[in-house]
Amino acid sequence: MSRLYPAILALSLPAIAGAQAPIPIRKVGPILATSIENVGRAVTVRATASGHVIVGAGSRQRVYAFDSTLKNFTLVADSGSGTGSGLSRPIGLIPFLGDSTLLPDLVANALLVLDGTGKQVRSMAPPRTQDLQFLVSPVTSGRPVLDPKGRLIYKGALGKAQPPKMTPPGKTIELSPTNPDSAPIVRGDFDTRRIDTLAWMKTPNQGRVGQQLIPNPGGGPPSMTVHLQVNPFAVADEWSLLNDGTIAIVRVHDYHIDWIDPDGTTRSSPKMPIDWRKYTDAERLQVADSLRRFVEESSKRNLAARPAGNAPIKMEVSVVPDSEFPTFWPPVMAGSVLSDLDGHVWILPATSTNAANGLTYDVVNRKGEIIERVQLPQGCVLVGFGPRKMVYMTKAVGNNTYLTRALLDARR
């Protein structure tokens, strides 16, 4: 869904002033460094005390280790050329002990341990091997992280959705949900391999899928038609882990945060102010068409990559009925909730203030109060934080996306 950020946020309007005192807005300081390498979208970063920056470039299927200038880098892993790890999915980095970083490797069913310069020093088993798939995509699963006791916190899944039903020829294809409607936040212990469920998140259905076998009149292998009905407005709760081990879950139905403190205490903070804005018909059409085209293009690429000789598959993509479209824009963009090194939660509202001139993030304290709003430079998206009040962003320039670093002063 990250491809829809510019299309969606460009439609945003200024926030409507509430009854409370205006929330101060400040801008991120000037950009201090910009990469010359196109890192693409869906980026995760790990800034080390030595000045190196490890970058998981999801859309490019690469892992880079940049120096402090962001001009020089080594390629840690590249799925296209076979360099390093055999990566085949979006890439998420997990901060580990000291300056080290964990890199999920789905081919080896392991976590690669990178040192502060990006060099692989060893590999280790995850708490539960089948959960590796939940550690690779910051947009769909959030950013896994270790708590102060070294246990891995991440968003898992509640079993699996029912497999698509096979419909006989000539009958209307029966559609099944593509995913369950809730997901757990879990804690995995590397020593005991024990997995504990800490909380639950709402995960609205992403769509429905069905399939139908079509006999071959010539007696050869049958073909298959897969019908995918996508939901362009499926918005889930978001989460992040603060540096003291506190879990913050942003509830999208009313824009408040549920907290799980390190001692297991749960609490809820009040609703936060936000511009609840209705979709226009034109906006609904734009969002739906953008996602449908994206899924169609992705499906074509995947089908083209299938080995020769396999039974032919036809993919039909549609959108859920208009009756299932929501009335209001969701409060939070998918994968946009992060925590800084000072214990604040950063949230990108879907109706980001003055988005055409730079995305504006709500910065929330542990009481669930928006203490300020921070506006990024035009064309930039927040991807992480580093030592000494550094902020890392990606900046889109035409069809390319570059990594940038700026200073966030200590003023609050």
Side-chain angles (χ1 to χ4, degrees):
M1 294 294 288
S2 59
R3 294 187 176 210
L4 299 181
Y5 273 5
I8 294 176
L9 293 171
L11 300 169
S12 305
L13 298 177
I16 298 174
Q20 68 170 38
I23 297 172
I25 299 178
R26 66 183 171 113
K27 296 183 178 181
V28 166
I31 292 178
L32 304 177
T34 302
S35 71
I36 58 177
E37 170 74 2
N38 170 27
V39 298
R41 295 189 175 98
V43 166
T44 54
V45 301
R46 167 72 159 137
T48 68
S50 65
H52 288 84
V53 185
I54 316 301
V55 177
S59 62
R60 301 209 68 194
Q61 293 287 280
R62 291 178 173 181
V63 177
Y64 300 95
F66 287 89
D67 66 9
S68 59
T69 68
L70 300 186
K71 304 298 182 185
N72 306 306
F73 66 87
T74 57
L75 200 56
V76 177
D78 179 4
S79 63
S81 65
T83 302
S85 169
L87 303 169
S88 60
R89 292 282 296 276
I91 300 165
L93 302 177
I94 305 171
F96 196 45
L97 305 176
D99 268 354
S100 60
T101 302
L102 296 179
L103 172 62
D105 186 335
L106 296 179
V107 175
N109 285 328
L111 294 168
L112 308 183
V113 182
L114 311 179
D115 66 14
T117 66
K119 180 182 177 181
Q120 181 183 340
V121 294
R122 63 187 177 96
S123 62
M124 58 188 293
R128 187 162 61 190
T129 302
Q130 60 265 39
D131 284 0
L132 271 174
Q133 60 182 312
F134 306 129
L135 307 180
V136 295
S137 177
V139 174
T140 58
S141 299
R143 290 167 170 79
V145 67
L146 269 64
D147 69 8
K149 294 185 178 181
R151 298 168 299 189
L152 185 61
I153 311 296
Y154 59 98
K155 176 183 173 183
L158 177 62
K160 297 181 179 179
Q162 292 295 320
K165 298 177 180 179
M166 188 67 71
T167 304
K171 302 291 185 179
T172 301
I173 296 179
E174 294 187 56
L175 301 178
S176 303
T178 58
N179 63 286
D181 61 2
S182 60
I185 296 178
V186 300
R187 178 176 59 204
D189 190 300
F190 285 99
D191 295 325
T192 65
R193 306 296 166 186
R194 178 178 176 179
I195 306 294
D196 297 318
T197 298
L198 304 178
W200 291 94
M201 298 173 57
K202 182 176 178 59
T203 55
N205 198 272
Q206 302 294 318
R208 306 178 186 91
V209 63
Q211 55 192 26
Q212 186 176 49
L213 279 178
I214 308 298
N216 188 329
S223 62
M224 178 185 293
T225 297
V226 177
H227 184 84
L228 180 61
Q229 190 179 71
V230 297
N231 181 2
F233 304 100
V235 181
D237 292 339
E238 297 289 330
W239 74 283
S240 186
L241 186 79
L242 280 62
N243 50 7
D244 70 343
T246 299
I247 298 173
I249 305 174
V250 183
R251 302 298 187 184
V252 295
H253 70 280
D254 64 357
Y255 200 46
H256 83 274
I257 297 180
D258 286 342
W259 307 84
I260 304 174
D261 294 325
D263 63 1
T265 303
T266 60
R267 56 191 173 90
S268 296
S269 49
K271 300 176 185 178
M272 297 175 288
I274 195 171
D275 173 20
W276 290 99
R277 188 166 65 82
K278 290 185 176 181
Y279 281 102
T280 66
D281 291 340
E283 289 169 350
R284 285 197 187 95
L285 181 62
Q286 179 180 355
V287 173
D289 283 350
S290 295
L291 180 61
R292 180 179 51 77
R293 287 196 299 269
F294 173 71
V295 173
E296 286 177 340
E297 293 170 1
S298 300
S299 300
K300 289 178 181 178
R301 289 194 297 269
N302 292 336
L303 292 177
R306 298 174 70 240
N310 283 12
I313 296 179
K314 178 183 178 182
M315 181 71 73
E316 296 181 349
V317 180
S318 63
V319 177
V320 297
D322 292 1
S323 59
E324 298 184 31
F325 290 0
T327 302
F328 291 90
W329 281 89
V332 183
M333 293 301 301
S336 69
V337 176
L338 297 88
S339 295
D340 63 21
L341 303 185
D342 297 318
H344 300 104
V345 181
W346 290 56
I347 307 171
L348 177 59
T351 51
S352 175
T353 304
N354 197 22
N357 295 316
L359 301 181
T360 303
Y361 286 72
D362 287 349
V363 182
V364 184
N365 64 15
R366 296 171 188 270
K367 298 179 181 179
E369 303 166 333
I370 301 176
I371 57 175
E372 68 176 347
R373 292 187 167 115
V374 177
Q375 186 176 35
L376 272 53
Q378 188 177 25
C380 290
V381 175
L382 180 68
V383 293
F385 303 90
R388 299 178 292 277
K389 302 293 182 182
M390 292 298 175
V391 177
Y392 289 87
M393 304 169 287
T394 53
K395 181 175 177 61
V397 181
N399 293 325
N400 294 337
T401 304
Y402 303 97
L403 182 68
T404 67
R405 182 177 66 242
L407 178 65
L408 180 69
D409 62 53
R411 177 171 50 86
R412 288 288 181 195

